[in-house]
Amino acid sequence: KAERKRIKRIRLWISGMICVASRSIIALHVSAEPPSKKSAMTALEMATRDKTDIARRLGCHSPWVQGGTMETLAVDSAVYFAHRPFRVAVNDAGVDLFLPPAGEASMRGFIERWFLTFATQMFNYFDGRTWSSPTERGDYDAAAFAATIADQAAECMIRWAVDGYHNAPHSELNGATPNNRWL
């Protein structure tokens, strides 16, 4: 208990992008810094390339080939997605940027649903999770139970997405996996 008290508690932030057609995760940026212009640009860059080098470095068994130029990018109403350099980068890539109205999570339903899957399948293995809202967390003292090093948690998130989620049959894909659909 004494050692746990000496360790600083941090919150990790996730910026994710999903391919609607294959349900593949094309970007998963994990950071100790809150979402920003930098994290938006990092996720955008990540979405455009093969990330097998990242997957292999983290010990994944599957490649992470999902990436390329998208037709349309739907984002939330955060200010960093409306930031000029982000909009210019999206435009220069020949991508249509869709900025739905604030509070309309259903207009980004695929990624919102993925985050729910992520929370229920991946984070059930971790103590100290903060849940999706204070109401859902209730009286649970997340900071008191935090027991995972940030780098390990980030590694587990990516490994779960690449080796777990991408290879799991998906009911909305008629039983195909996101990897199969992508390929």
Side-chain angles (χ1 to χ4, degrees):
K1 287 184 179 182
E3 287 177 3
R4 280 189 179 192
K5 285 183 181 181
R6 290 194 308 250
I7 298 171
K8 181 182 174 188
R9 303 301 195 255
I10 63 168
R11 181 181 186 127
L12 293 178
W13 299 88
I14 303 163
S15 299
M17 292 184 180
I18 191 168
C19 167
V20 172
S22 70
R23 305 303 200 275
S24 294
I25 299 306
I26 60 171
L28 185 60
H29 174 65
V30 183
S31 176
E33 298 174 14
S36 64
K37 298 168 191 172
K38 179 182 174 185
S39 63
M41 293 297 279
T42 300
L44 180 62
E45 184 273 333
M46 190 179 222
T48 64
R49 67 181 187 91
D50 181 317
K51 294 159 289 294
T52 298
D53 58 327
I54 296 170
R56 293 282 183 247
R57 190 173 67 245
L58 296 178
C60 294
H61 297 286
S62 298
W64 193 4
V65 298
Q66 291 87 339
T69 303
M70 55 210 84
E71 292 177 18
T72 303
L73 175 61
V75 296
D76 66 23
S77 59
V79 68
Y80 38 86
F81 290 125
H83 187 247
R84 184 172 175 81
F86 183 82
R87 290 183 296 129
V88 167
V90 170
N91 186 62
D92 286 353
V95 176
D96 290 329
L97 183 61
F98 177 57
L99 294 158
E104 295 292 334
S106 62
M107 294 184 138
R108 299 175 314 281
F110 293 96
I111 193 69
E112 297 291 340
R113 179 63 181 97
W114 181 82
F115 274 118
L116 179 61
T117 298
F118 187 55
T120 57
Q121 290 183 11
M122 211 299 271
F123 283 116
N124 282 341
Y125 298 100
F126 291 88
D127 291 329
R129 64 186 274 200
T130 57
W131 307 89
S132 61
S133 71
T135 304
E136 188 178 348
R137 183 176 62 239
D139 294 336
Y140 181 74
D141 185 359
F145 292 104
T148 305
I149 297 170
D151 290 345
Q152 285 178 326
E155 179 181 320
C156 287
M157 290 178 209
I158 292 171
R159 290 184 71 182
W160 176 85
V162 174
D163 282 339
Y165 175 79
H166 281 169
N167 292 299
H170 198 294
S171 63
E172 296 299 315
L173 299 175
N174 294 323
T177 69
N179 263 345
N180 289 343
R181 184 59 69 107
W182 182 270
L183 296 173

